């Protein structure tokens, strides 16, 4: 199977769905969280929920890097962008995230701030080289997938002697977030749906491998199946999770063997370890303060740390009261449970980040018309 169409073959999908229906115990309910926004989009785009029996529930997780960034860090970037003689560079989705007041980097740009959309960290380096009279800040976000390119940019800036380039680092870690979902005080306070297992992220796992998930699979007795983004990948992962639960196992399995190794990408991991270190705590939208869940730039590279150069303050700002993005990221609510979903809040006029990002759950449900899923009862209220 070398080509993408083979992972979207309808007959094979029906065969896997038939096996799921045959092996799912009709006397119980299965609750699986797809952590990654890419999986959420695959489930919505290809209508996979319609192929599942009613007792198999898919729950959105906080695996959208744009969605989980808290309001305070967005406000930091907006304030930074308004600094005289400063160019702020970031990925496209970040420009559209609104704060509670409705401000965004895109609006700051319209008001005169020099905000530039880039496609890679290398673009930010090029802009710094071409604008030596300006300070250039790369607003870096993302999980383990996008962290190595940021490390490369910092090392390249050092090698080139770019004294006008810094990084506002907002890189976060997947395993820490999954553990937090299962045990945090915030989850006990705000609630969470029952979780029987996880579909592990694809691209993240290419970098970190499958071994980092072994801790919470064993500690919390929740099986994990790492899966690719195609519909057959996701369906096969669901079948593998059901088989684990039916046999009383809680292990890490790898469906995405064509790309993920147990040890991951050692070179990328070494590069990240050289440039970054763990933060003691970091705020996530929807999850609150999560210990050791994010990275900061090491002191040896402090010259390229925007938080050091510009003394960026720690801000904690509440989300828009009408927006349910936090609850959706925790898996407590679905997009269609939000009162403003699809009416006030649309991709053209996003109120929350889950509608902004191409990986956001709200954007997925809106784009593919999944306003009424077959599993219309929220999993949190389903019988176990």
């Amino acid at each position: 199977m070398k080509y993408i169409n083979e992972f979207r073959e309808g007959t094979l999908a029906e065969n896997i769905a038939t096996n799921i229906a045959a092996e799912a115990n009709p006397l119980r309910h299965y609750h699986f969280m797809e952590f990654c926004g890419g999986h959420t989009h695959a489930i919505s785009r290809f209508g996979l929920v319609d192929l599942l029996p009613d007792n198999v529930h898919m729950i959105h997780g906080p695996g959208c890097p744009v969605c989980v960034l808290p309001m305070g860090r967005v406000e930091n970037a907006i304030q930074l962008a308004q600094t005289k003689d400063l160019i702020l560079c970031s990925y496209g989705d970040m420009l559209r995230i609104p704060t509670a007041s409705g401000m965004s980097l895109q609006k700051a740009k319209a008001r005169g701030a020099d905000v530039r959309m880039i496609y890679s960290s290398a673009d930010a380096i090029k802009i710094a080289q071409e604008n030596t009279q300006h300070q250039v800040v790369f607003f870096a976000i993302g999980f383990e997938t996008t962290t190595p390119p940021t490390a490369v940019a910092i090392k390249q800036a050092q090698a080139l002697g770019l004294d006008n380039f810094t990084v506002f680092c907002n890189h976060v870690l997947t395993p820490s977030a999954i553990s937090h979902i299962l045990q945090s005080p915030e989850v006990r306070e705000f609630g969470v749906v029952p979780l029987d297992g996880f579909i592990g992220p694809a691209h993240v796992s290419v970098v970190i491998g499958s071994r980092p998930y072994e801790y919470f699979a064993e500690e919390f007795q929740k099986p994990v199946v790492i899966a690719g983004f195609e519909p057959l990948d996701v369906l096969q992962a669901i079948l593998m999770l059901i088989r684990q639960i039916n046999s009383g196992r809680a292990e890490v399995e790898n469906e995405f063997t064509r790309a993920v190794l147990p040890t991951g990408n050692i070179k990328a991991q070494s590069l990240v370890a050289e440039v970054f270190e763990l933060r003691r705590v970091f705020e996530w939208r929807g999850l609150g303060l999560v210990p050791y869940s994010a990275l900061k730039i090491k002191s040896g590279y402090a010259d390229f740390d925007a938080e050091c150069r510009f003394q960026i303050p720690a801000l904690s700002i509440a989300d828009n009261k009408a927006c349910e993005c936090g609850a959706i990221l925790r898996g407590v609510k679905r997009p269609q449970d939000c009162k403003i979903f699809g009416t006030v809040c649309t991709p053209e006029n996003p109120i929350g980040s889950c509608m902004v990002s191409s990986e956001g759950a709200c954007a997925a449900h809106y784009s593919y018309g999944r306003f009424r899923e077959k599993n219309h009862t929220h999993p949190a209220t389903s019988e176990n």
Side-chain angles (χ1 to χ4, degrees):
M1 299 179 71
K2 298 178 181 180
Y3 306 104
I4 195 168
N5 287 340
E6 293 178 286
F7 292 90
R8 299 178 179 180
E9 215 287 315
T11 301
L12 290 177
E14 291 177 356
N15 290 342
I16 299 173
T18 298
N19 289 334
I20 290 173
E23 298 189 34
N25 184 346
L27 300 179
R28 65 155 299 155
H29 284 258
Y30 300 83
H31 305 92
F32 300 134
M33 176 175 280
E34 79 272 1
F35 183 90
C36 183
H39 289 139
T40 298
H41 272 255
I43 290 168
S44 294
R45 178 183 179 186
F46 294 101
L48 300 188
V49 168
D50 295 333
L51 296 177
L52 301 176
D54 291 339
N55 61 333
V56 177
H57 308 276
M58 302 308 300
I59 303 157
H60 316 297
C64 163
V66 173
C67 305
V68 300
L69 196 66
M71 197 72 74
R73 304 293 279 193
V74 178
E75 182 63 34
N76 284 147
I78 292 171
Q79 293 178 5
L80 199 57
Q82 295 169 332
T83 303
K84 183 180 178 182
D85 295 328
L86 185 143
I87 301 171
L88 186 109
C89 304
S90 194
Y91 303 122
D93 284 346
M94 294 306 305
L95 274 58
R96 300 178 60 236
I97 296 181
T99 61
S101 66
M103 190 59 171
S104 67
L105 285 169
Q106 191 173 52
K107 290 183 178 179
K109 178 179 176 68
R111 296 179 184 182
D114 195 343
V115 178
R116 304 190 188 185
M117 185 185 75
I118 59 174
Y119 294 96
S120 71
S121 57
D123 291 343
I125 290 289
K126 184 178 180 181
I127 291 171
Q129 289 177 294
E130 295 173 348
N131 296 270
T132 55
Q133 73 279 20
H134 291 79
Q135 290 292 318
V136 176
V137 178
F138 172 39
F139 185 15
I141 68 156
F143 291 95
E144 292 90 342
T145 311
T146 54
T147 308
T150 302
V152 170
I154 291 173
K155 287 180 65 67
Q156 187 177 5
Q158 184 185 59
L160 293 170
L162 290 178
D163 58 6
N164 66 325
F165 175 82
T166 53
V167 171
F168 181 30
C169 181
N170 295 275
H171 288 297
V172 290
L173 304 173
T174 304
S176 301
I178 297 177
S179 295
H180 193 75
I181 288 170
L182 296 171
Q183 66 179 354
S184 73
E186 289 84 0
V187 167
R188 289 194 290 271
E189 179 182 353
F190 296 113
V192 71
V193 295
L195 291 176
D196 297 306
F198 292 87
I199 295 181
H203 291 157
V204 164
S205 301
V206 172
V207 176
I208 68 174
S210 59
R211 288 178 181 169
Y213 306 106
E214 292 175 356
Y215 162 74
F216 67 81
E218 180 178 350
E219 179 72 15
F220 302 106
Q221 287 298 290
K222 305 293 183 184
V224 180
V225 176
I226 297 165
F229 287 125
E230 295 305 319
L232 296 188
D233 290 318
V234 176
L235 286 172
Q236 183 64 26
I238 293 169
L239 179 58
M240 293 166 72
L241 284 168
I242 288 172
R243 287 172 174 172
Q244 280 207 53
I245 290 170
N246 288 350
S247 61
R249 294 182 291 122
E251 302 170 359
V252 178
E253 292 184 322
N254 181 15
E255 184 277 337
F256 199 31
T257 53
R258 62 188 185 275
V260 175
L261 300 173
T263 55
N265 187 325
I266 300 298
K267 185 174 182 179
Q269 294 169 25
S270 299
L271 185 61
V272 169
E274 179 185 346
V275 177
F276 298 103
E277 62 186 2
L278 284 173
R279 294 181 187 266
R280 189 185 65 80
V281 69
F282 190 79
E283 183 182 358
W284 292 54
R285 177 173 288 167
L287 299 183
L289 296 174
V290 183
Y292 304 107
S293 64
L295 299 174
K296 64 179 181 180
I297 298 170
K298 283 186 173 180
S299 58
Y301 293 92
D303 289 345
F304 305 98
D305 188 346
E307 292 183 74
C308 294
R309 182 172 299 185
F310 299 100
Q311 297 298 300
I312 297 175
L315 299 177
S316 184
I317 302 174
D319 289 342
N320 188 308
K321 292 182 179 179
C323 176
E324 297 284 5
C325 189
I328 291 168
L329 289 168
R330 291 195 306 274
V332 177
K333 292 187 176 181
R334 303 168 304 160
Q336 50 268 61
D337 294 326
C338 180
K339 294 179 180 178
I340 61 174
F341 169 76
T343 55
V344 176
C345 185
T346 66
E348 292 74 28
N349 180 49
I351 304 301
S353 58
C354 293
M355 187 64 87
V356 172
S357 173
S358 58
E359 294 189 16
C362 294
H365 280 243
Y366 187 92
S367 298
Y368 302 114
R370 309 292 302 172
F371 298 152
R372 295 182 178 86
E373 290 185 352
K374 184 171 61 174
N375 294 334
H376 59 275
T377 302
H378 192 272
T381 63
S382 300
E383 296 179 3
N384 282 309

